[in-house]
Amino acid sequence: MRANLFILFLIYAVSSFGQFRKSDRISISVKDAPLETIFDSLSAQTDYFFSYNTDLLPKGSLYTISAENEPIDQFLSRLFIGTGLKYSFFKDQIILHYEAPQLVVKKKNFFTISGTVYDENGQPLNSANVFLDGTTIGVSSDIDGNYKLESIPPGFYNIVFSHVGYENAVYQLSEINGGARIQNHQMELDLGQLEEVEVISNRIRRTEDSWLAYYLAFKKELIGLTENADKCVIENPEALDFTYDRGANALRAYASEPLQIRNDALGYRITYFLESFRKENDGDLRFRGKIRFRNLAAMNGAEKREWKRNRKESYYGSFNHFKKSLLDGNLRKDGYRIYRLRDLEKFEMKKENELTEADILVFKGNHYELDFNNHLIVEYRRERESRSFLRNSSVVDVIYSEYITPNGILAKDPGNQISIIRLLRGSLRLDLSGEIMDKFGVTTFGYWSWERTADLVPINYDPKYDNL
């Protein structure tokens, strides 16, 4: 009996000791230091010693990180983001081991969504669009109202139900374990949108000469001004109506049906469900919508190769590519540099303001959080700016103010692509695949905001598995 009590006490003591030691707090500030140097500093502060095989540590990697009175386990979680290193506590040891990242999702982790779409009377509704927003994953319901979305990678999605004459419906869903989900939906008649447009006294009708001018302004903002935009066509512009508020100097756009956009630069047919569009002459522009991508049929092998090449160029350096590189811990490897920016009006990229993944990304177990103060500069060094960007982007006056001559001419050759991120609601939640879980929690400036619909690829796009 005494022996058993002693063993229980010993287990409790070791457990308590480990739990207590994890709460040790450390303060540290290092710049471009190897992991071994950081370990030595932590050991000096806490009396822990690190136990590991030297072959586990990333070769030649240097780390810049700081902490002020931070629990050691929280600090280690930040330090090891993207390295594959994991740790455990045992007495006065921190034992390191390596877990290879799952770069390829196994087949069993894919999931399906199926269900039935009903009309306002509860009867099965044929030909309803059911798709995952921003992806190529979508179908139409059959004659019995049934649909099935298959081979969906784990992640966070918005599933959209749409049909002409009915209100769009959107459900958020997140899945990481695979399997099957049931999502039924009853559509509701759309009685409000057209009536709302009708009662506005300054509605611009398609018979008026000014409609064309407003349409061209709308197309420029939605499609963009890049080379790819020259190869994009809105096939049903007659679906659009506009209003112009002279008092607020604001243009609004409305669509009576989804816009059909043919992108002959990237080989996509885009169905754009416009939800809102407002542009003010002071430069404020806001628009949003749901997007479904479909592959176009290439005429020949040369066109297919061109589409694949253009898609890669659009993807690399994009916000989606940045998020993937961030979660993988490969920002520098993939050509990115990130910098702290305290004041947008005092734009500068200084070496002392350069940050790492660990400074802005926190792993929370079932999601990530992007967290930084003020603004974040993202520089992409693998591709140069377009001259069209330098001529037309409204943010050029801010980021390149020192290159503007007294007569207002920008005297600068194309350089690295520069974008700016601003968080609107504190930290930003990302799912495990890097998809943003709050679309209204972030805004971007610079190159990312200049590239519009003409340069979009689906969020499920993978350049290694682009099957046209």
Side-chain angles (χ1 to χ4, degrees):
M1 182 67 176
R2 287 186 176 181
N4 289 338
L5 287 174
F6 176 76
I7 292 173
L8 288 173
F9 174 78
L10 181 61
I11 293 174
Y12 174 79
V14 170
S15 174
S16 299
F17 177 81
Q19 191 67 28
F20 171 76
R21 294 300 304 281
K22 289 182 190 180
S23 66
D24 283 354
R25 294 180 174 270
I26 55 96
S27 296
I28 187 174
S29 179
V30 295
K31 181 177 180 181
D32 293 335
L35 285 176
E36 294 94 327
T37 300
I38 299 175
F39 294 161
D40 290 343
S41 178
L42 297 180
S43 295
Q45 292 188 50
T46 64
D47 293 328
Y48 275 121
F49 70 90
F50 286 80
S51 176
Y52 58 90
N53 186 323
T54 55
D55 293 336
L56 295 178
L57 303 187
K59 298 294 188 296
S61 294
L62 301 178
Y63 297 81
T64 298
I65 191 170
S66 61
E68 183 66 34
N69 197 31
E70 181 177 0
I72 188 170
D73 58 335
Q74 182 175 314
F75 175 81
L76 291 175
S77 296
R78 289 200 299 121
L79 177 65
F80 292 150
I81 287 177
T83 66
L85 291 175
K86 304 295 180 181
Y87 63 92
S88 58
F89 292 85
F90 179 72
K91 296 185 178 180
D92 58 350
Q93 298 182 61
I94 298 177
I95 303 172
L96 304 185
H97 63 282
Y98 180 79
E99 290 184 7
Q102 296 294 321
L103 298 180
V104 179
V105 180
K106 296 181 180 179
K107 180 73 175 178
K108 65 180 181 181
N109 283 340
F110 282 73
F111 69 102
T112 63
I113 309 172
S114 61
T116 305
V117 185
Y118 302 97
D119 65 16
E120 74 280 10
N121 298 315
Q123 298 299 312
L125 184 62
N126 183 24
S127 300
N129 286 295
V130 186
F131 63 97
L132 301 184
D133 182 30
T135 75
T136 55
I137 303 171
V139 296
S140 296
S141 60
D142 63 20
I143 194 171
D144 297 315
N146 297 321
Y147 74 92
K148 188 174 186 179
L149 305 178
E150 300 182 282
S151 300
I152 306 171
F156 177 85
Y157 299 96
N158 287 318
I159 182 171
V160 182
F161 294 86
S162 177
H163 196 288
V164 175
Y166 293 88
E167 292 186 356
N168 292 346
V170 182
Y171 298 96
Q172 293 184 343
L173 57 91
S174 180
E175 183 59 64
I176 61 175
N177 297 317
R181 299 173 63 111
I182 303 295
Q183 184 71 63
N184 299 323
H185 177 68
Q186 183 169 351
M187 305 293 293
E188 296 183 6
L189 289 174
D190 186 358
L191 303 175
Q193 180 175 336
L194 292 179
E195 292 178 359
E196 178 185 351
V197 177
E198 292 286 354
V199 300
I200 298 176
S201 60
N202 58 349
R203 179 187 178 200
I204 310 301
R205 300 179 184 274
R206 286 184 290 277
T207 56
E208 299 180 38
D209 294 338
S210 56
W211 182 91
L212 179 59
Y214 291 135
Y215 168 71
L216 294 176
F218 167 83
K219 181 183 176 184
K220 181 187 75 171
E221 300 297 353
L222 183 72
I223 304 298
L225 291 170
T226 64
E227 293 181 0
N228 289 341
D230 294 335
K231 297 183 179 181
C232 286
V233 177
I234 300 178
E235 297 181 323
N236 60 335
E238 68 278 0
L240 287 162
D241 288 292
F242 303 97
T243 65
Y244 183 71
D245 186 337
R246 296 188 182 280
N249 213 7
L251 174 68
R252 291 180 182 269
Y254 306 85
S256 59
E257 62 185 46
L259 299 178
Q260 301 298 328
I261 302 171
R262 181 183 175 93
N263 187 336
D264 286 318
L266 303 184
Y268 290 119
R269 177 176 296 281
I270 298 172
T271 303
Y272 197 104
F273 298 79
L274 183 67
E275 295 175 343
S276 67
F277 178 96
R278 178 184 175 93
K279 180 187 179 183
E280 299 181 1
N281 276 3
D282 63 1
D284 186 24
L285 171 68
R286 300 179 186 182
F287 65 87
R288 70 171 186 268
K290 300 293 186 292
I291 304 177
R292 179 181 177 185
F293 289 87
R294 294 182 178 91
N295 286 315
L296 293 173
M299 293 186 298
N300 49 51
E303 186 171 56
K304 183 181 293 188
R305 289 191 293 273
E306 180 183 2
W307 285 349
K308 286 190 174 184
R309 181 177 62 254
N310 290 345
R311 289 179 183 186
K312 286 183 179 180
E313 290 180 358
S314 292
Y315 172 71
Y316 289 118
S318 68
F319 191 24
N320 283 340
H321 180 231
F322 168 78
K323 290 184 295 181
K324 184 179 187 306
S325 296
L326 175 65
L327 266 59
D328 290 343
N330 291 331
L331 287 184
R332 292 184 68 88
K333 177 183 176 183
D334 290 342
Y336 291 100
R337 300 293 186 275
I338 55 176
Y339 305 88
R340 180 187 297 108
L341 178 63
R342 292 185 173 88
D343 187 349
L344 188 60
E345 299 300 323
K346 298 178 180 179
F347 183 90
E348 57 184 2
M349 293 188 298
K350 292 185 176 180
K351 182 66 177 177
E352 58 264 32
N353 291 331
E354 186 173 351
L355 303 173
T356 68
E357 293 94 334
D359 294 314
I360 63 172
L361 189 68
V362 180
F363 180 59
K364 294 290 187 176
N366 62 351
H367 70 278
Y368 293 91
E369 288 192 7
L370 188 61
D371 193 2
F372 54 86
N373 294 323
N374 303 311
H375 300 79
L376 182 74
I377 301 173
V378 180
E379 179 188 19
Y380 184 60
R381 298 185 174 184
R382 298 276 178 87
E383 191 175 344
R384 312 298 278 180
E385 300 163 310
S386 164
R387 290 190 180 276
S388 180
F389 166 77
L390 295 176
R391 290 194 303 268
N392 297 291
S393 176
S394 60
V395 80
V396 165
D397 291 346
V398 175
I399 62 179
Y400 294 139
S401 58
E402 71 270 26
Y403 293 95
I404 298 177
T405 63
N407 57 356
I409 298 176
L410 179 68
K412 181 187 182 300
D413 292 325
N416 297 329
Q417 295 178 2
I418 297 174
S419 302
I420 303 167
I421 306 175
R422 179 189 173 199
L423 302 183
L424 303 178
R425 300 178 181 175
S427 62
L428 183 71
R429 290 164 61 95
L430 307 174
D431 72 6
L432 297 181
S433 65
E435 187 59 22
I436 296 173
M437 302 175 73
D438 179 6
K439 301 293 185 182
F440 302 102
V442 63
T443 187
T444 63
F445 310 91
Y447 219 81
W448 288 339
S449 64
W450 181 72
E451 293 182 327
R452 305 285 171 82
T453 306
D455 296 275
L456 282 182
V457 296
I459 59 176
N460 62 321
Y461 169 80
D462 188 331
K464 294 181 181 179
Y465 305 100
D466 185 20
N467 298 318
L468 286 173

